[in-house]
């Protein structure tokens, strides 16, 4: 029993990160019907932003309160990653807005490859895996045989908070309303006085900064390397599709489902079956419910 | 024909889609307080003209002046802010938003909060059905209600000039009369209207003046009465 509770906690931890990244895929898809295949690598860059920020911060001022270190690192990574994503959108995707959709997808794949290889070639990063310095003290609590660490608690709580905030932004604010309107009919939105290009950039910025929350949290628990964006990006992408791409709550649900797949596959099967299970899930879903679990088939526009 | 007091003045407007010229030298004026209608067959370029005014399609040649300001290279969302509301062809309702959200979105560039509240009340008085359904998804409205929402939304931008693209399309005759009555009320309350219609009979009934558009050119202009009495207009647009 304790074993399963332990695994559920682990699945929530991994699932939170997948969900945070999946949100970026789903938001961009919702607004532009484009899959931003560079998103996994944008997530990877965010972990390095967190790495450099925290390393620098702790080397110049050791003994800062952990809360400050954590929040400062998180905000810097979010801001830097958002800036990168907006830059990519403006330089690489926007000129292709009216081109066939496949051009933007291929460009996104190219941008992803560029980011990976740039990071490998960039001396301060390089191909070797790295650890973030401890942002918060790691304390393990033993609750009747189940181990819970402070890092695990922070990952789950912060992810939950960010998802709640995003959901509120999309549902309750004017910007969120504009995003939803653009996802329905971006040609009519300017007639409401809404600057569509600015909302699109904002969507990229928001998606990337949420991925950066995922990146910082991920870096607190695991090692980071320039190729991590590929596998994690794919898993997050599958999460978004499983939940229903374009659907915010779907991406969250999908992230947690993939978290459970990742943690529970090795319980029943050899752990090398993980990708097999995840991609099979994707294939089955595409066959039987292509709109995902929470996605609805696009209604006819009259 | 050109007068300096025109709220909207279009001079020698050319618009092209690729190599196809959709508008070939349109000149027209809309004066403050008027209802001007543009009648013409399908494909004559009526929607293109409205879309050019709103900045949704680029102009190749000519000028569009609104309250004396040249609209060339003004982005579409700023044209709304300057005071041009556009009820697009096919209504352009955001079906995945509630009725209230549709209205709210149209207030994007407004800063006069107190007046926004007044305008909600006014819009709900004009269209009581929208008030009843304000929390419903707009996609669940009937065609007539969606058209009312499209007009209500345009009112919420608080434009001085309202462009309407075929508001009668696909509606039952009773609803068409209702919509046109409301357009009359909106105009009486001070909004200038440029109305594109295939339903020339109704349009000429409510309008002060009109233009006839044929394959990208204006072929006739006059008061609504003159156009209604014109034998060519009678034959081509009023069913003889």
């Amino acid at each position: 029993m304790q074993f399963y509770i332990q695994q559920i906690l682990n699945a929530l931890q991994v699932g939170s990160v997948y969900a945070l990244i999946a949100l970026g895929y789903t938001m961009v898809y919702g607004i532009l019907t484009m899959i931003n295949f560079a998103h996994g690598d944008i997530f990877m860059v965010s972990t390095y932003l967190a790495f450099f920020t925290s390393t620098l911060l702790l080397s110049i001022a050791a003994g800062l309160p952990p809360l400050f270190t954590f929040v400062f690192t998180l905000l810097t990574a979010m801001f830097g990653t958002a800036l990168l994503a907006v830059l990519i959108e403006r330089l690489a995707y926007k000129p292709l807005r009216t081109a066939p959709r496949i051009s933007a997808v291929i460009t996104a794949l190219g941008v992803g490859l560029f980011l990976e290889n740039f990071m490998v070639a960039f001396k301060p990063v390089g191909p070797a895996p790295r650890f973030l310095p401890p942002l918060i003290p790691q304390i393990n609590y033993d609750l009747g045989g189940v181990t819970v660490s402070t890092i695990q608690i922070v990952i789950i709580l912060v992810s939950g908070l960010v998802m709640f905030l995003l959901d509120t932004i999309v549902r309750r604010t004017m910007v969120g309303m504009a995003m939803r309107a653009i996802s329905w009919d971006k040609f009519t939105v300017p007639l409401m006085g809404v600057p569509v290009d600015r909302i699109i950039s904002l969507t990229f910025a928001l998606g990337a900064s949420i991925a950066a929350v995922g990146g910082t949290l991920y870096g607190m628990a695991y090692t980071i390397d320039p190729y991590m964006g590929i596998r994690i990006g794919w898993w997050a992408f599958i999460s978004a599709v499983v939940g229903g791409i374009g659907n915010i709550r779907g991406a969250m649900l999908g992230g947690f489902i993939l978290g459970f797949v990742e943690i529970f596959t090795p319980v029943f099967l050899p752990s090398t079956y993980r990708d097999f299970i995840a991609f099979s899930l994707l294939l089955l879903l595409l066959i039987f419910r292509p709109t995902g679990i929470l996605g609805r088939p696009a209604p006819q526009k009259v | 024909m050109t007068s300096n007091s025109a709220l909207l003045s279009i001079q020698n407007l050319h618009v092209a889609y690729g190599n196809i010229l959709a508008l070939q030298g349109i000149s027209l004026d809309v004066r403050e307080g008027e209802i001007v209608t543009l009648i013409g067959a399908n494909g004559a370029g009526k929607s293109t003209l409205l879309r050019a005014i709103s900045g949704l399609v680029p102009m190749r040649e000519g000028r569009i002046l609104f309250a004396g300001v040249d609209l060339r290279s003004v982005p579409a969302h700023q044209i709304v802010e300057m005071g041009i509301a556009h009820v697009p062809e096919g209504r352009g309702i955001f079906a995945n938003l509630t009725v209230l959200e549709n209205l709210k979105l149209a207030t994007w560039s407004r800063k006069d909060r107190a007046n926004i509240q007044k305008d909600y009340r006014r819009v709900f008085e004009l269209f009581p059905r929208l008030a009843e359904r304000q929390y419903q998804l707009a996609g669940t409205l009937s065609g007539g209600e969606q058209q009312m929402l499209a007009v209500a939304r345009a009112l919420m931008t608080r434009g001085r000039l309202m462009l309407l693209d075929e508001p009668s399309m696909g509606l039952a005759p009773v609803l068409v009369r209702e919509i046109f009555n409301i357009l009359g009320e909106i105009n009486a309350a001070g909004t200038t209207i440029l109305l594109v219609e295939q339903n020339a009979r109704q349009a000429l009934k409510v309008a002060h003046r009109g233009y006839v558009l044929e394959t990208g050119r204006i072929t006739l202009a006059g008061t609504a009465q003159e156009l209604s009495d014109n034998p060519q207009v009678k034959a081509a647009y009023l069913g003889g």
Side-chain angles (χ1 to χ4, degrees):
Chain A
M1 190 62 210
Q2 281 113 329
F3 172 77
Y4 285 101
I5 294 175
Q6 184 75 62
Q7 296 309 319
I8 288 172
L9 265 175
N10 293 342
L12 285 177
Q13 172 181 335
V14 179
S16 300
V17 175
Y18 288 146
L20 291 177
I21 306 167
L23 285 167
Y25 281 109
T26 226
M27 285 167 74
V28 167
Y29 184 85
I31 207 160
L32 289 178
T33 48
M34 169 204 157
I35 294 166
N36 179 14
F37 276 117
H39 189 61
D41 296 299
I42 289 172
F43 158 80
M44 175 273 293
V45 173
S46 81
T47 64
Y48 279 97
L49 284 172
F51 170 79
F52 286 117
T53 307
S54 54
T55 308
L56 196 72
L57 189 66
L58 291 170
S59 71
I60 54 174
L64 285 168
L67 183 68
F68 177 83
T69 316
F70 173 68
V71 171
F72 185 84
T73 302
L74 189 69
L75 292 180
T76 310
M78 287 171 78
F79 182 75
T81 311
L83 215 61
L84 173 71
V86 171
L87 205 68
I88 292 171
E89 188 261 327
R90 282 286 150 110
L91 295 180
Y93 303 157
K94 198 176 165 211
L96 297 171
R97 194 84 47 82
T98 51
R101 220 178 289 169
I102 191 77
S103 312
V105 171
I106 292 169
T107 305
L109 286 167
V111 169
L113 283 172
F114 169 80
L115 292 176
E116 282 157 31
N117 291 293
F118 176 82
M119 290 306 249
V120 172
F122 184 51
K123 274 274 152 38
V125 175
R130 286 174 189 274
F131 295 93
L132 253 68
L135 300 183
I136 56 166
Q138 176 163 7
I139 305 161
N140 293 324
Y141 301 101
D142 183 37
L143 306 174
V146 178
T147 310
V148 189
S149 75
T150 42
I151 290 180
Q152 195 156 41
I153 295 169
V154 166
I155 289 179
I156 294 170
L157 288 185
V158 171
S159 304
L161 179 70
V162 166
M163 286 187 243
F164 172 77
L165 283 178
L166 178 74
D167 195 70
T168 308
I169 289 173
V170 172
R171 265 160 214 278
R172 303 254 174 261
T173 66
M174 285 290 266
V175 168
M177 231 178 264
M179 287 174 177
R180 284 182 285 138
I182 292 172
S183 79
W184 182 261
D185 176 2
K186 67 167 167 279
F187 301 107
T188 304
V189 174
L191 297 181
M192 305 297 111
V194 176
V196 173
D197 282 342
R198 221 179 304 158
I199 302 292
I200 290 174
S201 293
L202 203 63
T203 306
F204 273 89
L206 206 55
S209 54
I210 292 166
V213 174
T216 307
L217 296 174
Y218 183 90
M220 290 166 69
Y222 311 96
T223 60
I224 63 173
D225 69 79
Y227 295 112
M228 63 190 273
I230 305 171
R231 193 194 76 86
I232 297 171
W234 271 109
W235 277 64
F237 170 67
I238 298 173
S239 305
V241 176
V242 165
I245 193 145
N247 185 305
I248 298 279
R249 290 183 180 175
M252 300 178 189
L253 177 67
F256 287 110
I257 290 175
L258 269 284
F260 277 82
V261 169
E262 168 147 349
I263 298 298
F264 280 91
T265 302
V267 173
F268 305 105
L269 294 165
S271 68
T272 45
Y273 278 43
R274 266 198 294 229
D275 282 333
F276 167 72
I277 299 286
F279 281 93
S280 303
L281 188 67
L282 176 68
L283 281 178
L284 285 176
L285 214 88
L286 288 178
I287 294 168
F288 294 108
R289 199 175 157 79
T291 54
I293 296 171
L294 295 184
R296 267 171 243 120
Q300 284 281 301
K301 291 180 198 180
V302 186
Chain B
M1 208 164 80
T2 308
S3 78
N4 289 327
S5 66
L7 180 60
L8 178 76
S9 174
I10 296 174
Q11 295 152 13
N12 191 32
L13 178 67
H14 288 69
V15 173
Y17 296 110
N19 288 324
I20 302 153
L21 267 180
L23 298 179
Q24 323 185 14
I26 301 279
S27 296
L28 63 81
D29 280 323
V30 180
R31 290 189 284 271
E32 185 106 52
E34 276 189 316
I35 299 183
V36 172
T37 185
L38 205 63
I39 54 183
N42 243 337
K46 304 185 302 288
S47 296
T48 302
L49 178 63
L50 296 194
R51 293 168 60 77
I53 297 170
S54 284
L56 296 179
V57 294
M59 50 180 119
R60 177 169 282 193
E61 230 181 278
R63 291 216 298 174
I64 301 175
L65 297 176
F66 177 67
V69 181
D70 194 338
L71 295 187
R72 178 177 287 274
S73 74
V74 179
H77 67 270
Q78 276 171 21
I79 291 177
V80 179
E81 200 174 343
M82 288 168 67
I84 298 182
H86 186 157
V87 180
E89 189 179 18
R91 300 157 198 149
I93 290 303
F94 303 113
N96 59 337
L97 267 58
T98 66
V99 169
L100 191 60
E101 285 175 333
N102 268 275
L103 296 174
K104 215 177 197 170
L105 194 63
T107 66
W108 181 279
S109 49
R110 290 179 60 179
K111 279 138 203 123
D112 49 337
R113 282 178 178 275
N115 288 326
I116 291 175
Q117 292 312 316
K118 248 183 259 167
D119 286 350
Y120 281 124
R121 281 199 292 278
R122 175 179 170 222
V123 155
F124 286 141
E125 260 165 44
L126 273 175
F127 305 105
R129 290 249 277 295
L130 296 184
E132 289 164 26
R133 286 158 206 246
Q134 53 182 304
Y135 301 110
Q136 241 168 273
L137 286 183
T140 64
L141 299 181
S142 70
E145 289 163 347
Q146 288 192 8
Q147 189 63 63
M148 289 172 187
L149 178 56
V151 174
R153 212 171 50 171
L155 281 173
M156 291 306 295
T157 68
R158 216 174 225 229
R160 289 165 72 187
L161 171 67
M162 189 185 288
L163 313 175
L164 289 119
D165 200 341
E166 306 269 4
S168 75
M169 196 165 62
L171 298 187
V174 185
L175 282 171
V176 174
R177 274 196 295 280
E178 195 178 334
I179 291 272
F180 276 91
N181 282 339
I182 289 170
L183 292 186
E185 282 178 47
I186 290 170
N187 176 248
T191 307
T192 308
I193 289 176
L194 177 57
L195 170 68
V196 153
E197 259 299 344
Q198 280 200 65
N199 187 339
R201 191 181 299 276
Q202 279 289 349
L204 288 172
K205 232 183 259 174
V206 70
H208 304 108
R209 290 191 304 119
Y211 294 87
V212 175
L213 194 63
E214 278 172 17
T215 56
R217 288 195 178 85
I218 285 175
T219 53
L220 271 175
T223 64
Q225 191 59 51
E226 284 164 3
L227 290 179
S228 304
D229 295 340
N230 183 295
Q232 282 162 276
V233 173
K234 274 188 182 167
Y237 303 106
L238 300 174

